[in-house]
Tab-separated table of all heavy atoms in Angstrom:
chain	number	residue	atom	x	y	z
A	52	MET	N	-26.459	19.681	-34.136
A	52	MET	CA	-27.418	20.596	-34.758
A	52	MET	C	-27.525	20.309	-36.251
A	52	MET	O	-26.516	20.295	-36.975
A	52	MET	CB	-26.990	22.054	-34.525
A	52	MET	CG	-27.015	22.488	-33.073
A	52	MET	SD	-26.541	24.238	-32.880
A	52	MET	CE	-26.482	24.382	-31.095
A	187	ALA	N	-21.431	26.303	-22.104
A	187	ALA	CA	-21.567	25.881	-23.507
A	187	ALA	C	-22.861	25.105	-23.730
A	187	ALA	O	-23.551	25.301	-24.745
A	187	ALA	CB	-20.363	25.031	-23.909
A	188	ASN	N	-23.200	24.221	-22.787
A	188	ASN	CA	-24.418	23.424	-22.941
A	188	ASN	C	-25.670	24.293	-22.920
A	188	ASN	O	-26.622	24.060	-23.681
A	188	ASN	CB	-24.497	22.373	-21.826
A	188	ASN	CG	-23.433	21.302	-21.953
A	188	ASN	OD1	-22.879	21.093	-23.029
A	188	ASN	ND2	-23.119	20.630	-20.864
A	189	LEU	N	-25.680	25.300	-22.045
A	189	LEU	CA	-26.828	26.208	-21.986
A	189	LEU	C	-26.938	27.021	-23.275
A	189	LEU	O	-28.051	27.238	-23.788
A	189	LEU	CB	-26.691	27.139	-20.779
A	189	LEU	CG	-26.914	26.485	-19.408
A	189	LEU	CD1	-26.481	27.431	-18.293
A	189	LEU	CD2	-28.384	26.084	-19.231
A	190	ILE	N	-25.798	27.473	-23.788
A	190	ILE	CA	-25.806	28.217	-25.052
A	190	ILE	C	-26.336	27.342	-26.181
A	190	ILE	O	-27.200	27.757	-26.972
A	190	ILE	CB	-24.390	28.730	-25.385
A	190	ILE	CG1	-24.015	29.857	-24.435
A	190	ILE	CG2	-24.320	29.223	-26.839
A	190	ILE	CD1	-22.582	30.300	-24.559
A	191	ASN	N	-25.843	26.104	-26.268
A	191	ASN	CA	-26.303	25.197	-27.320
A	191	ASN	C	-27.802	24.927	-27.222
A	191	ASN	O	-28.501	24.884	-28.239
A	191	ASN	CB	-25.536	23.867	-27.243
A	191	ASN	CG	-24.144	23.965	-27.807
A	191	ASN	OD1	-23.867	24.809	-28.661
A	191	ASN	ND2	-23.246	23.123	-27.339
A	192	PHE	N	-28.281	24.747	-26.001
A	192	PHE	CA	-29.710	24.491	-25.813
A	192	PHE	C	-30.547	25.677	-26.281
A	192	PHE	O	-31.611	25.519	-26.873
A	192	PHE	CB	-29.998	24.198	-24.337
A	192	PHE	CG	-31.442	23.913	-24.052
A	192	PHE	CD1	-32.059	22.774	-24.540
A	192	PHE	CD2	-32.203	24.801	-23.291
A	192	PHE	CE1	-33.391	22.510	-24.278
A	192	PHE	CE2	-33.539	24.556	-23.022
A	192	PHE	CZ	-34.145	23.398	-23.515
A	193	GLY	N	-30.033	26.904	-26.043
A	193	GLY	CA	-30.773	28.090	-26.469
A	193	GLY	C	-30.657	28.361	-27.954
A	193	GLY	O	-31.648	28.653	-28.626
A	194	THR	N	-29.453	28.225	-28.515
A	194	THR	CA	-29.263	28.581	-29.925
A	194	THR	C	-29.868	27.560	-30.886
A	194	THR	O	-30.162	27.885	-32.031
A	194	THR	CB	-27.766	28.730	-30.249
A	194	THR	OG1	-27.093	27.503	-29.952
A	194	THR	CG2	-27.143	29.852	-29.444
A	195	GLU	N	-30.049	26.321	-30.408
A	195	GLU	CA	-30.660	25.302	-31.261
A	195	GLU	C	-32.064	25.697	-31.677
A	195	GLU	O	-32.561	25.288	-32.733
A	195	GLU	CB	-30.665	23.960	-30.504
A	195	GLU	CG	-31.280	22.803	-31.252
A	195	GLU	CD	-32.761	22.616	-30.917
A	195	GLU	OE1	-33.168	22.992	-29.807
A	195	GLU	OE2	-33.496	22.099	-31.790
A	196	LYS	N	-32.717	26.544	-30.886
A	196	LYS	CA	-34.098	26.946	-31.159
A	196	LYS	C	-34.193	28.158	-32.071
A	196	LYS	O	-35.303	28.550	-32.476
A	196	LYS	CB	-34.816	27.235	-29.834
A	196	LYS	CG	-34.807	26.041	-28.863
A	196	LYS	CD	-35.480	26.411	-27.554
A	196	LYS	CE	-35.382	25.254	-26.561
A	196	LYS	NZ	-35.966	24.006	-27.051
A	197	ILE	N	-33.062	28.779	-32.390
A	197	ILE	CA	-33.084	29.971	-33.233
A	197	ILE	C	-33.455	29.586	-34.667
A	197	ILE	O	-32.873	28.679	-35.259
A	197	ILE	CB	-31.715	30.680	-33.210
A	197	ILE	CG1	-31.439	31.214	-31.798
A	197	ILE	CG2	-31.664	31.821	-34.223
A	197	ILE	CD1	-30.067	31.836	-31.644
A	198	LYS	N	-34.402	30.288	-35.214
A	198	LYS	CA	-34.838	30.005	-36.579
A	198	LYS	C	-33.811	30.528	-37.588
A	198	LYS	O	-33.098	31.488	-37.321
A	198	LYS	CB	-36.200	30.653	-36.834
A	198	LYS	CG	-37.323	30.061	-35.979
A	198	LYS	CD	-38.665	30.734	-36.275
A	198	LYS	CE	-39.759	30.114	-35.420
A	198	LYS	NZ	-41.082	30.763	-35.684
A	202	GLY	N	-27.916	29.294	-35.420
A	202	GLY	CA	-27.648	29.177	-33.986
A	202	GLY	C	-26.245	28.690	-33.677
A	202	GLY	O	-25.626	29.121	-32.699
A	206	SER	N	-23.261	29.960	-31.006
A	206	SER	CA	-22.611	29.045	-30.062
A	206	SER	C	-21.098	29.161	-30.140
A	206	SER	O	-20.403	29.251	-29.119
A	206	SER	CB	-23.033	27.598	-30.347
A	206	SER	OG	-24.370	27.370	-29.998
A	325	LEU	N	-29.971	17.903	-26.002
A	325	LEU	CA	-29.209	19.062	-25.521
A	325	LEU	C	-29.577	19.408	-24.082
A	325	LEU	O	-28.726	19.797	-23.287
A	325	LEU	CB	-29.443	20.256	-26.446
A	325	LEU	CG	-28.824	20.127	-27.851
A	325	LEU	CD1	-29.281	21.268	-28.743
A	325	LEU	CD2	-27.301	20.089	-27.778
A	329	VAL	N	-27.245	19.544	-20.558
A	329	VAL	CA	-27.269	20.606	-19.552
A	329	VAL	C	-27.357	19.987	-18.159
A	329	VAL	O	-26.660	20.413	-17.223
A	329	VAL	CB	-28.453	21.572	-19.793
A	329	VAL	CG1	-28.606	22.533	-18.618
A	329	VAL	CG2	-28.253	22.348	-21.087
Side-chain angles (χ1 to χ4, degrees):
M52 295 182 186
N188 292 339
L189 288 169
I190 289 172
N191 283 334
F192 180 67
T194 58
E195 179 266 333
K196 303 178 184 302
I197 295 176
K198 295 180 179 180
S206 289
L325 291 172
V329 171

